[in-house]
Amino acid sequence: MGRRFESCRGRRLCVKANDMKNLLVTGGCGFIGSDFIRFLFEESDYAGRIINLDALTYAANPMNLADIAERFRDRYVFVKADIRDAAAVARVFDEYDVDAVCHLAAESHVDRSILGPGDFIHTNVLGTFHLLEATRARADRIQIFHQVSTDEVYGSLGDEGFFTETTPYRPNSPYSASKAAADHLVRAYHRTYGLPVTISNCSNNYGPRQFPEKLIPLMILNAREGKTLPVYGDGRHIRDWLYVRDHCRAIWEIIRRGRRGDAYNIGGLCEIENIEVVRRICALVDEMGPPLPGGRPRIELIRFVKDRPGHDRRYAMDISKIQTELDWSPRETFESGLRRTVKWYLENSEWVHGVRTGAYREWITRQYGLDAAST
Ligand code: NAD
Ligand code: TYD
């Protein structure tokens, strides 16, 4: 089975957008997955069908794609399925004649992984294994298996240096350890079975439709509502922020032109301390949102709270490989991207209300005739 892909090993293999007919996107109802599908339909040259496989966990919101589902109904299929279920995964591959995979489905929040690591092992590790097995079973048809991963697998940096694609994996949280394990499986399936895989390790994303448990949307919404803004530890932890659409463009370039068997770092060239991110959000919400009682500036809502256990100090990406090989660079600056994001959250109160109250889950039940809470 490995032999068929022997020739693709380590080589650049251009997949023309039109070569792929049935692209399976896992986790397409989440933050990045939904933006990726939106990007494919609205901005890319992909002309085939997209099968969005998602279990609709708490982090999913099919309303993220309600307009897309309507506008592109001939080329878009949603399948509620769980990647922890090997038989269900195999059925989807067969039923939809899958010939390309972009794998985003995951448990994605570090704090949740500290509270309950089990789901992270089952979804991120075993779920990826099931997808790889389904890919291996159809190896003669699959053109690409792309694994969307994170910079967190590399661990934490001191004041100096950057992560490169050859930095050894040293994950510190159950989340990053589960993603690291999945990445290793993906790589092993390339080396052992010759599957045409690529991996991307991306820094922190932000933008519209991110579930408000992550730093930026949580702070925007709390700031708008005059609630406390909890900053972990001394607030001087550094993340390298990337606007979500830039990430989606990078994934697409890697799928089409990335070297099979290789990993690519993706980052925003934008290192900022958490406290500075929160201060900027306060200023933007003061400017664009409703005033707080007495005209109080939102910066007064910031509180330093207990630090996260095992909290990584600094992430920073060296992105020279993707810049030189695939001619990709981030387009959005943090200033413009953050302003755009704050505006989106302030203007989309229906989305926010739905996510906060869980009202969208009733919509899921109505839409799909399913008990979404069972996932
Ligand atoms: P998200 O939590 O917003 O969405 C995850 C999606 O996966 C949801 O729609 C959820 O329903 C689905 N899902 C979860 N478990 C599933 C299962 N067992 N079966 C099927 N579907 C399941 O996550 P996100 O922020 O959009 O991240 C997407 C991917 O990108 C993840 O693999 C994550 O590790 C990676 N990533 C995220 C970031 C970031 O900053 N958010 C950065 C780098 C990499
Ligand atoms: P997060 O958005 O959870 O992403 P990650 O942990 O994957 O980097 O957190 C980003 C940074 O913000 C991280 O250093 C933890 C910090 N943080 C806070 O200080 N307060 C918060 O309420 C949250 C959710 C995160």
Side-chain angles (χ1 to χ4, degrees), residues 286-315:
D286 280 344
E287 181 196 318
M288 292 192 264
L292 288 183
R296 202 177 152 210
R298 283 173 163 92
I299 208 158
E300 291 180 8
L301 300 169
I302 296 176
R303 295 286 176 279
F304 291 95
V305 299
K306 207 164 148 233
D307 209 353
R308 172 189 277 173
H311 196 175
D312 288 333
R313 192 69 180 169
R314 174 172 168 256
Y315 303 140

mmCIF file of all heavy atoms in Angstrom, residues 286-315:
data_model
loop_
_atom_site.group_PDB
_atom_site.id
_atom_site.type_symbol
_atom_site.label_atom_id
_atom_site.label_comp_id
_atom_site.label_asym_id
_atom_site.label_seq_id
_atom_site.Cartn_x
_atom_site.Cartn_y
_atom_site.Cartn_z
ATOM 1 N N ASP A 286 -14.085 50.636 24.544
ATOM 2 C CA ASP A 286 -14.449 51.996 25.000
ATOM 3 C C ASP A 286 -14.831 52.862 23.802
ATOM 4 O O ASP A 286 -15.797 53.624 23.837
ATOM 5 C CB ASP A 286 -13.259 52.666 25.710
ATOM 6 C CG ASP A 286 -13.101 52.208 27.158
ATOM 7 O OD1 ASP A 286 -14.057 51.629 27.709
ATOM 8 O OD2 ASP A 286 -12.005 52.414 27.733
ATOM 9 N N GLU A 287 -14.054 52.725 22.733
ATOM 10 C CA GLU A 287 -14.276 53.566 21.542
ATOM 11 C C GLU A 287 -15.548 53.170 20.778
ATOM 12 O O GLU A 287 -16.331 54.013 20.374
ATOM 13 C CB GLU A 287 -13.060 53.420 20.616
ATOM 14 C CG GLU A 287 -13.139 54.259 19.345
ATOM 15 C CD GLU A 287 -12.109 53.779 18.310
ATOM 16 O OE1 GLU A 287 -10.957 53.479 18.667
ATOM 17 O OE2 GLU A 287 -12.487 53.701 17.116
ATOM 18 N N MET A 288 -15.766 51.847 20.637
ATOM 19 C CA MET A 288 -16.843 51.403 19.736
ATOM 20 C C MET A 288 -18.088 50.897 20.453
ATOM 21 O O MET A 288 -19.141 50.765 19.844
ATOM 22 C CB MET A 288 -16.325 50.267 18.839
ATOM 23 C CG MET A 288 -15.284 50.703 17.844
ATOM 24 S SD MET A 288 -15.000 49.386 16.629
ATOM 25 C CE MET A 288 -13.588 48.578 17.296
ATOM 26 N N GLY A 289 -17.952 50.540 21.732
ATOM 27 C CA GLY A 289 -19.076 49.931 22.453
ATOM 28 C C GLY A 289 -19.849 50.951 23.268
ATOM 29 O O GLY A 289 -19.525 52.146 23.250
ATOM 30 N N PRO A 290 -20.865 50.495 24.001
ATOM 31 C CA PRO A 290 -21.639 51.411 24.839
ATOM 32 C C PRO A 290 -20.789 51.866 26.033
ATOM 33 O O PRO A 290 -19.987 51.084 26.541
ATOM 34 C CB PRO A 290 -22.812 50.531 25.311
ATOM 35 C CG PRO A 290 -22.312 49.129 25.197
ATOM 36 C CD PRO A 290 -21.295 49.099 24.106
ATOM 37 N N PRO A 291 -20.952 53.111 26.484
ATOM 38 C CA PRO A 291 -20.152 53.549 27.630
ATOM 39 C C PRO A 291 -20.556 52.816 28.907
ATOM 40 O O PRO A 291 -21.713 52.422 29.065
ATOM 41 C CB PRO A 291 -20.471 55.051 27.738
ATOM 42 C CG PRO A 291 -21.720 55.249 26.967
ATOM 43 C CD PRO A 291 -21.859 54.144 25.976
ATOM 44 N N LEU A 292 -19.584 52.611 29.801
ATOM 45 C CA LEU A 292 -19.899 52.026 31.105
ATOM 46 C C LEU A 292 -20.504 53.117 31.996
ATOM 47 O O LEU A 292 -20.283 54.303 31.746
ATOM 48 C CB LEU A 292 -18.622 51.489 31.754
ATOM 49 C CG LEU A 292 -18.004 50.232 31.156
ATOM 50 C CD1 LEU A 292 -16.787 49.805 31.980
ATOM 51 C CD2 LEU A 292 -19.004 49.081 31.087
ATOM 52 N N PRO A 293 -21.253 52.722 33.026
ATOM 53 C CA PRO A 293 -21.823 53.730 33.928
ATOM 54 C C PRO A 293 -20.745 54.699 34.436
ATOM 55 O O PRO A 293 -19.656 54.272 34.815
ATOM 56 C CB PRO A 293 -22.378 52.884 35.087
ATOM 57 C CG PRO A 293 -22.612 51.525 34.502
ATOM 58 C CD PRO A 293 -21.600 51.351 33.416
ATOM 59 N N GLY A 294 -21.040 55.972 34.371
ATOM 60 C CA GLY A 294 -20.106 57.001 34.840
ATOM 61 C C GLY A 294 -18.938 57.206 33.897
ATOM 62 O O GLY A 294 -17.950 57.854 34.245
ATOM 63 N N GLY A 295 -19.018 56.599 32.693
ATOM 64 C CA GLY A 295 -17.941 56.762 31.713
ATOM 65 C C GLY A 295 -16.644 56.098 32.165
ATOM 66 O O GLY A 295 -15.556 56.443 31.687
ATOM 67 N N ARG A 296 -16.747 55.105 33.072
ATOM 68 C CA ARG A 296 -15.564 54.419 33.613
ATOM 69 C C ARG A 296 -14.758 53.750 32.491
ATOM 70 O O ARG A 296 -15.343 53.044 31.668
ATOM 71 C CB ARG A 296 -16.119 53.346 34.559
ATOM 72 C CG ARG A 296 -15.184 52.859 35.602
ATOM 73 C CD ARG A 296 -15.934 51.872 36.490
ATOM 74 N NE ARG A 296 -14.975 50.929 37.029
ATOM 75 C CZ ARG A 296 -15.242 49.677 37.346
ATOM 76 N NH1 ARG A 296 -16.467 49.195 37.178
ATOM 77 N NH2 ARG A 296 -14.302 48.906 37.826
ATOM 78 N N PRO A 297 -13.443 53.949 32.442
ATOM 79 C CA PRO A 297 -12.671 53.249 31.397
ATOM 80 C C PRO A 297 -12.589 51.754 31.702
ATOM 81 O O PRO A 297 -12.444 51.354 32.860
ATOM 82 C CB PRO A 297 -11.292 53.901 31.474
ATOM 83 C CG PRO A 297 -11.194 54.477 32.840
ATOM 84 C CD PRO A 297 -12.586 54.777 33.316
ATOM 85 N N ARG A 298 -12.660 50.934 30.661
ATOM 86 C CA ARG A 298 -12.721 49.479 30.863
ATOM 87 C C ARG A 298 -11.425 48.893 31.405
ATOM 88 O O ARG A 298 -11.426 47.779 31.935
ATOM 89 C CB ARG A 298 -13.129 48.822 29.545
ATOM 90 C CG ARG A 298 -14.636 49.008 29.316
ATOM 91 C CD ARG A 298 -15.066 48.534 27.977
ATOM 92 N NE ARG A 298 -16.505 48.351 27.924
ATOM 93 C CZ ARG A 298 -17.377 49.294 27.536
ATOM 94 N NH1 ARG A 298 -16.970 50.504 27.193
ATOM 95 N NH2 ARG A 298 -18.667 49.037 27.521
ATOM 96 N N ILE A 299 -10.353 49.601 31.255
ATOM 97 C CA ILE A 299 -9.072 49.106 31.770
ATOM 98 C C ILE A 299 -9.176 48.827 33.282
ATOM 99 O O ILE A 299 -8.480 47.973 33.816
ATOM 100 C CB ILE A 299 -7.961 50.126 31.417
ATOM 101 C CG1 ILE A 299 -6.633 49.427 31.291
ATOM 102 C CG2 ILE A 299 -7.919 51.296 32.348
ATOM 103 C CD1 ILE A 299 -5.628 50.174 30.464
ATOM 104 N N GLU A 300 -10.113 49.528 33.935
ATOM 105 C CA GLU A 300 -10.309 49.319 35.386
ATOM 106 C C GLU A 300 -10.945 47.959 35.689
ATOM 107 O O GLU A 300 -11.008 47.551 36.841
ATOM 108 C CB GLU A 300 -11.180 50.434 35.972
ATOM 109 C CG GLU A 300 -10.482 51.769 35.995
ATOM 110 C CD GLU A 300 -11.352 52.884 36.576
ATOM 111 O OE1 GLU A 300 -12.445 52.586 37.102
ATOM 112 O OE2 GLU A 300 -10.943 54.046 36.472
ATOM 113 N N LEU A 301 -11.419 47.262 34.668
ATOM 114 C CA LEU A 301 -12.034 45.940 34.897
ATOM 115 C C LEU A 301 -10.989 44.825 34.994
ATOM 116 O O LEU A 301 -11.306 43.687 35.328
ATOM 117 C CB LEU A 301 -12.997 45.599 33.744
ATOM 118 C CG LEU A 301 -14.173 46.557 33.509
ATOM 119 C CD1 LEU A 301 -14.856 46.216 32.173
ATOM 120 C CD2 LEU A 301 -15.180 46.455 34.652
ATOM 121 N N ILE A 302 -9.731 45.139 34.630
ATOM 122 C CA ILE A 302 -8.684 44.094 34.606
ATOM 123 C C ILE A 302 -8.348 43.643 36.026
ATOM 124 O O ILE A 302 -8.148 44.464 36.926
ATOM 125 C CB ILE A 302 -7.399 44.626 33.908
ATOM 126 C CG1 ILE A 302 -7.679 44.947 32.437
ATOM 127 C CG2 ILE A 302 -6.246 43.632 34.051
ATOM 128 C CD1 ILE A 302 -6.505 45.566 31.680
ATOM 129 N N ARG A 303 -8.300 42.318 36.210
ATOM 130 C CA ARG A 303 -7.865 41.745 37.495
ATOM 131 C C ARG A 303 -6.832 40.666 37.204
ATOM 132 O O ARG A 303 -7.059 39.799 36.348
ATOM 133 C CB ARG A 303 -9.042 41.072 38.233
ATOM 134 C CG ARG A 303 -10.131 41.999 38.672
ATOM 135 C CD ARG A 303 -9.730 42.866 39.882
ATOM 136 N NE ARG A 303 -10.799 43.813 40.209
ATOM 137 C CZ ARG A 303 -11.029 44.981 39.583
ATOM 138 N NH1 ARG A 303 -10.232 45.368 38.594
ATOM 139 N NH2 ARG A 303 -12.029 45.756 39.939
ATOM 140 N N PHE A 304 -5.718 40.695 37.931
ATOM 141 C CA PHE A 304 -4.740 39.610 37.816
ATOM 142 C C PHE A 304 -5.196 38.467 38.712
ATOM 143 O O PHE A 304 -5.488 38.693 39.892
ATOM 144 C CB PHE A 304 -3.343 40.114 38.208
ATOM 145 C CG PHE A 304 -2.798 41.089 37.203
ATOM 146 C CD1 PHE A 304 -2.940 42.463 37.391
ATOM 147 C CD2 PHE A 304 -2.193 40.646 36.043
ATOM 148 C CE1 PHE A 304 -2.467 43.371 36.448
ATOM 149 C CE2 PHE A 304 -1.716 41.541 35.090
ATOM 150 C CZ PHE A 304 -1.855 42.901 35.294
ATOM 151 N N VAL A 305 -5.307 37.277 38.128
ATOM 152 C CA VAL A 305 -5.816 36.125 38.882
ATOM 153 C C VAL A 305 -4.746 35.036 38.923
ATOM 154 O O VAL A 305 -3.694 35.161 38.278
ATOM 155 C CB VAL A 305 -7.127 35.578 38.249
ATOM 156 C CG1 VAL A 305 -8.216 36.641 38.261
ATOM 157 C CG2 VAL A 305 -6.887 35.057 36.833
ATOM 158 N N LYS A 306 -5.032 33.969 39.658
ATOM 159 C CA LYS A 306 -4.105 32.837 39.795
ATOM 160 C C LYS A 306 -3.641 32.351 38.421
ATOM 161 O O LYS A 306 -4.442 32.334 37.475
ATOM 162 C CB LYS A 306 -4.862 31.710 40.501
ATOM 163 C CG LYS A 306 -4.006 30.775 41.266
ATOM 164 C CD LYS A 306 -4.871 29.973 42.230
ATOM 165 C CE LYS A 306 -4.234 28.629 42.377
ATOM 166 N NZ LYS A 306 -5.081 27.508 42.148
ATOM 167 N N ASP A 307 -2.405 31.949 38.320
ATOM 168 C CA ASP A 307 -1.879 31.526 37.013
ATOM 169 C C ASP A 307 -2.400 30.135 36.634
ATOM 170 O O ASP A 307 -2.781 29.344 37.497
ATOM 171 C CB ASP A 307 -0.344 31.517 37.048
ATOM 172 C CG ASP A 307 0.254 31.787 35.673
ATOM 173 O OD1 ASP A 307 -0.518 31.850 34.693
ATOM 174 O OD2 ASP A 307 1.485 31.933 35.585
ATOM 175 N N ARG A 308 -2.402 29.886 35.333
ATOM 176 C CA ARG A 308 -2.758 28.561 34.808
ATOM 177 C C ARG A 308 -1.626 27.587 35.134
ATOM 178 O O ARG A 308 -0.446 27.937 34.930
ATOM 179 C CB ARG A 308 -2.926 28.709 33.290
ATOM 180 C CG ARG A 308 -3.118 27.447 32.524
ATOM 181 C CD ARG A 308 -3.039 27.700 31.026
ATOM 182 N NE ARG A 308 -4.276 28.163 30.455
ATOM 183 C CZ ARG A 308 -4.421 28.577 29.188
ATOM 184 N NH1 ARG A 308 -3.368 28.597 28.377
ATOM 185 N NH2 ARG A 308 -5.573 28.965 28.731
ATOM 186 N N PRO A 309 -1.923 26.360 35.605
ATOM 187 C CA PRO A 309 -0.839 25.390 35.853
ATOM 188 C C PRO A 309 -0.096 25.059 34.549
ATOM 189 O O PRO A 309 -0.735 24.871 33.511
ATOM 190 C CB PRO A 309 -1.577 24.141 36.369
ATOM 191 C CG PRO A 309 -2.954 24.586 36.712
ATOM 192 C CD PRO A 309 -3.253 25.816 35.923
ATOM 193 N N GLY A 310 1.214 25.013 34.619
ATOM 194 C CA GLY A 310 2.018 24.657 33.434
ATOM 195 C C GLY A 310 1.937 25.693 32.315
ATOM 196 O O GLY A 310 2.174 25.373 31.148
ATOM 197 N N HIS A 311 1.622 26.929 32.681
ATOM 198 C CA HIS A 311 1.369 27.987 31.682
ATOM 199 C C HIS A 311 2.617 28.294 30.846
ATOM 200 O O HIS A 311 3.628 28.763 31.385
ATOM 201 C CB HIS A 311 0.926 29.253 32.436
ATOM 202 C CG HIS A 311 0.273 30.277 31.592
ATOM 203 N ND1 HIS A 311 -0.277 31.423 32.112
ATOM 204 C CD2 HIS A 311 0.075 30.351 30.252
ATOM 205 C CE1 HIS A 311 -0.784 32.147 31.137
ATOM 206 N NE2 HIS A 311 -0.578 31.519 29.996
ATOM 207 N N ASP A 312 2.539 28.061 29.541
ATOM 208 C CA ASP A 312 3.681 28.352 28.672
ATOM 209 C C ASP A 312 3.930 29.864 28.631
ATOM 210 O O ASP A 312 3.008 30.655 28.447
ATOM 211 C CB ASP A 312 3.403 27.845 27.240
ATOM 212 C CG ASP A 312 3.460 26.323 27.152
ATOM 213 O OD1 ASP A 312 4.162 25.702 27.970
ATOM 214 O OD2 ASP A 312 2.787 25.757 26.253
ATOM 215 N N ARG A 313 5.216 30.239 28.755
ATOM 216 C CA ARG A 313 5.548 31.666 28.864
ATOM 217 C C ARG A 313 5.488 32.388 27.513
ATOM 218 O O ARG A 313 4.929 33.459 27.400
ATOM 219 C CB ARG A 313 6.969 31.785 29.442
ATOM 220 C CG ARG A 313 7.347 33.178 29.884
ATOM 221 C CD ARG A 313 6.553 33.577 31.109
ATOM 222 N NE ARG A 313 6.877 34.924 31.571
ATOM 223 C CZ ARG A 313 6.174 35.579 32.483
ATOM 224 N NH1 ARG A 313 5.121 35.037 33.048
ATOM 225 N NH2 ARG A 313 6.512 36.788 32.855
ATOM 226 N N ARG A 314 6.106 31.785 26.532
ATOM 227 C CA ARG A 314 6.200 32.513 25.256
ATOM 228 C C ARG A 314 6.160 31.551 24.073
ATOM 229 O O ARG A 314 6.821 30.503 24.105
ATOM 230 C CB ARG A 314 7.514 33.312 25.226
ATOM 231 C CG ARG A 314 7.798 33.990 23.909
ATOM 232 C CD ARG A 314 8.991 34.932 23.969
ATOM 233 N NE ARG A 314 9.373 35.325 22.620
ATOM 234 C CZ ARG A 314 10.436 34.852 21.946
ATOM 235 N NH1 ARG A 314 11.278 34.004 22.542
ATOM 236 N NH2 ARG A 314 10.664 35.231 20.707
ATOM 237 N N TYR A 315 5.365 31.912 23.070
ATOM 238 C CA TYR A 315 5.390 31.207 21.778
ATOM 239 C C TYR A 315 5.802 32.231 20.716
ATOM 240 O O TYR A 315 5.322 33.371 20.734
ATOM 241 C CB TYR A 315 4.005 30.697 21.354
ATOM 242 C CG TYR A 315 3.291 29.776 22.312
ATOM 243 C CD1 TYR A 315 1.922 29.907 22.503
ATOM 244 C CD2 TYR A 315 3.945 28.744 22.967
ATOM 245 C CE1 TYR A 315 1.222 29.049 23.349
ATOM 246 C CE2 TYR A 315 3.250 27.884 23.818
ATOM 247 C CZ TYR A 315 1.892 28.043 24.003
ATOM 248 O OH TYR A 315 1.203 27.204 24.829
#
